[in-house]
């Protein structure tokens, strides 16, 4: 009874059957096969399996449907990649608003330490101007009165009368 | 279209079926495999420029493998749901008679089933080598196993496949 074929022999026989063996390996296996017909049978069986595998229908994707799925996914992924930028810019805008909101009231407070608003100051300025105008008018009026009425007419005429009476006394 | 778009487009067209096929064998489920393929391509899109485009195939396959493992773990953690084997796509009409066609379809379905039922470590190496044309050095990088382990797994997978297919009998002959 023949012993079992060694792994080395089986391996080389399979390589011959699958057409992967080098020239020297093929020669070696042919020599072994002369002495042992089991090797020939092994080669033939593996050759048939190899042919079946080569002729086998292959699993394939439905090209268009799959490609559309991929393109759709890529577009989605690109949109997702842009989303963080949008979120970041949104957050930056929000942060700016918050910072400004925190800073501006303190500035306004500084300005608010002044007791009057700009409009109130302008109104007060107008009132002061009006008051000054009134005073100026009164002063001018008084000056005219003093110059024209009091100095000229009352004091002047009295002095004139006095000087006339002195002249008359002196002449007489 | 930008350079990134053009590169990605070329990459997706070239590798999408391979990603799907590998995921399909690992997950044994069409819609999960499609989800993984989508996820891997989206990862490729977001990582464009960070990996060497010349070794993109290995990167993609490694990412696919990891995505499948993640999904299997998630699946195991959440449910004990069985994922039934899906029927294989209909083959176009051929010149063979209906009986022969039925037998071929049956064999095709059986072949897929046998590959899907291989133990995980053997199946991963088998699919990468036999169906996707990776050599053992690439497989060792993708699966992070020694080259010799990859060779041994391939030999065992082939042996299991042979013994399983020897047992195949078309339904009408049973």
């Amino acid at each position: 009874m023949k012993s079992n074929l060694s792994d080395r022999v089986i391996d080389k026989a399979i390589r011959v059957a699958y057409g992967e063996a080098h020239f020297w390996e093929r020669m070696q296996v042919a020599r072994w096969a002369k002495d042992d017909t089991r090797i020939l049978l092994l080669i033939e069986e593996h050759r048939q399996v190899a042919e079946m595998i080569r002729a086998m229908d292959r699993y394939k994707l439905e090209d268009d449907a799959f490609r559309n799925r991929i393109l759709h996914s890529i577009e989605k992924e690109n949109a997702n990649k842009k989303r963080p930028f949008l979120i970041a810019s949104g957050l930056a805008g929000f942060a700016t608003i918050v910072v400004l909101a925190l800073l501006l009231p303190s500035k306004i407070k500084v300005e608010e330490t002044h007791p009057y608003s700009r409009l109130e100051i302008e109104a007060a300025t107008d009132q002061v101007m009006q008051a000054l105008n009134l005073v100026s008018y009164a002063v001018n009026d008084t000056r005219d009165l003093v110059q024209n009425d009091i100095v000229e007419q009352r004091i002047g005429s009295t002095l004139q009368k006095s000087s006339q009476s002195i002249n008359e006394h002196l002449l007489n | 279209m930008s350079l990134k778009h053009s590169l990605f487009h070329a990459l997706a067209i070239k590798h999408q079926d391979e990603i799907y096929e590998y995921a399909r064998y690992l997950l044994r489920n069409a819609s999960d495999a499609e989800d993984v393929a989508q996820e891997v391509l989206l990862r490729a899109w977001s990582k464009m420029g960070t990996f060497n485009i010349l070794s993109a195939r290995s990167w993609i396959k490694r990412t696919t493998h990891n995505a499948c493992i993640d999904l299997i773990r998630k699946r195991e953690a959440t449910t004990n749901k069985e994922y039934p084997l899906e029927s294989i796509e209909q083959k176009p009409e051929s010149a063979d008679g209906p009986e022969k066609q039925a037998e071929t379809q049956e064999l095709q379905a059986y072949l897929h089933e046998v590959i899907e039922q291989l133990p995980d470590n053997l199946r991963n190496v088998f699919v990468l080598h036999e169906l996707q044309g990776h050599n053992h050095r690439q497989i060792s990088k993708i699966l992070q196993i020694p080259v010799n382990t990859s060779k041994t797994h391939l030999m065992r997978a082939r042996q299991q496949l042979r013994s399983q297919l020897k047992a195949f009998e078309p339904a009408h002959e049973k």
Side-chain angles (χ1 to χ4, degrees):
Chain A
M1 192 182 156
K2 284 182 181 176
S3 60
N4 283 338
L5 295 172
S6 70
D7 277 353
R8 183 166 161 261
V9 173
I10 294 171
D11 183 38
K12 291 210 171 179
I14 293 172
R15 282 170 54 79
V16 169
Y18 277 80
E20 293 167 356
H22 305 299
F23 176 74
W24 291 113
E25 276 179 323
R26 287 206 302 272
M27 295 295 287
Q28 197 177 24
V29 171
R31 210 169 53 240
W32 290 336
K34 262 187 188 174
D35 303 329
D36 195 338
T37 50
R38 288 178 304 169
I39 296 173
L40 266 184
L41 186 66
L42 189 72
I43 292 170
E44 187 48 37
E45 283 174 357
H46 276 288
R47 204 194 305 272
Q48 279 180 19
V49 175
E51 273 171 22
M52 276 187 225
I53 289 164
R54 276 167 205 149
M56 193 173 79
D57 283 341
R58 306 292 291 268
Y59 287 133
K60 277 189 177 172
L61 282 161
E62 281 176 36
D63 223 25
D64 291 339
F66 181 75
R67 203 163 296 158
N68 286 340
R69 262 176 75 181
I70 290 286
L71 288 175
H72 180 71
S73 304
I74 285 172
E75 276 169 23
K76 211 170 150 187
E77 200 189 89
N78 285 348
N80 284 343
K81 270 186 183 173
K82 280 178 191 166
R83 194 177 292 166
F85 291 113
L86 293 174
I87 292 169
S89 49
L91 282 174
F94 180 71
T96 312
I97 290 166
V98 169
V99 168
L100 287 175
L102 289 171
L103 288 176
L104 279 179
S106 60
K107 270 198 165 182
I108 289 165
K109 269 181 195 167
V110 171
E111 282 172 6
E112 274 178 1
T113 51
H114 201 289
Y116 304 108
S117 73
R118 203 168 136 252
L119 284 172
E120 282 174 326
I121 291 166
E122 280 175 4
T125 310
D126 283 347
Q127 283 174 357
V128 169
M129 290 304 288
Q130 278 176 6
L132 285 173
N133 282 340
L134 278 172
V135 170
S136 160
Y137 177 75
V139 167
N140 284 338
D141 202 36
T142 309
R143 190 193 62 201
D144 290 347
L145 184 73
V146 169
Q147 278 181 350
N148 300 331
D149 191 34
I150 298 172
V151 174
E152 271 187 31
Q153 288 177 18
R154 294 189 189 177
I155 297 175
S157 62
T158 311
L159 281 174
Q160 209 173 4
K161 275 179 190 172
S162 303
S163 64
Q164 271 178 357
S165 60
I166 289 167
N167 283 337
E168 279 172 7
H169 279 288
L170 289 171
L171 288 171
N172 292 326
Chain B
M1 197 185 259
S2 69
L3 180 65
K4 186 183 173 184
H5 273 94
S6 309
L7 276 174
F8 176 75
H9 196 66
L11 207 70
I13 287 174
K14 196 175 172 195
H15 298 295
Q16 65 180 34
D17 284 334
E18 267 192 13
I19 298 169
Y20 173 73
E21 185 180 48
Y22 187 61
R24 177 83 193 250
Y25 280 112
L26 259 65
L27 300 168
R28 302 184 179 113
N29 178 277
S31 76
D32 282 351
E34 216 170 283
D35 288 345
V36 164
Q38 185 178 336
E39 193 190 318
V40 170
L41 286 175
L42 285 176
R43 271 193 221 173
W45 166 258
S46 58
K47 299 262 179 190
M48 283 295 276
T50 64
F51 63 89
N52 184 356
I53 200 80
L54 297 174
S55 57
R57 195 172 176 227
S58 290
W59 184 89
I60 280 174
K61 221 46 76 66
R62 172 103 209 107
T63 309
T64 309
H65 184 79
N66 289 341
C68 288
I69 299 295
D70 287 348
L71 194 68
I72 289 167
R73 280 183 192 146
K74 235 184 261 174
R75 200 195 269 171
E76 281 171 354
T78 53
T79 63
N80 287 322
K81 191 178 158 192
E82 282 289 319
Y83 283 79
L85 293 169
E86 311 258 325
S87 63
I88 307 304
E89 294 86 355
Q90 291 292 308
K91 215 183 165 186
E93 291 284 317
S94 73
D96 295 328
E99 205 172 281
K100 178 80 181 162
Q101 264 186 49
E103 194 183 315
T104 312
Q105 273 184 20
E106 214 180 314
L107 179 65
Q108 290 274 336
Y110 186 68
L111 197 53
H112 279 283
E113 200 180 314
V114 168
I115 296 170
E116 282 169 1
Q117 283 174 354
L118 284 171
D120 289 350
N121 50 357
L122 306 189
R123 188 181 62 235
N124 298 346
V125 174
F126 180 83
V127 173
L128 285 172
H129 186 279
E130 214 56 63
L131 304 181
Q132 312 215 319
H134 287 280
N135 60 35
H136 289 291
R137 192 170 294 191
Q138 290 167 335
I139 294 170
S140 122
K141 274 186 188 169
I142 293 166
L143 301 178
Q144 297 187 324
I145 52 171
V147 172
N148 281 336
T149 308
S150 170
K151 286 179 180 172
T152 312
H153 285 345
L154 181 67
M155 189 183 79
R156 286 192 190 147
R158 283 169 168 175
Q159 280 176 298
Q160 280 204 24
L161 223 62
R162 170 184 147 259
S163 54
Q164 294 279 321
L165 286 168
K166 263 174 96 172
F168 172 75
E169 277 179 53
H172 64 276
E173 283 178 15
K174 280 177 189 169

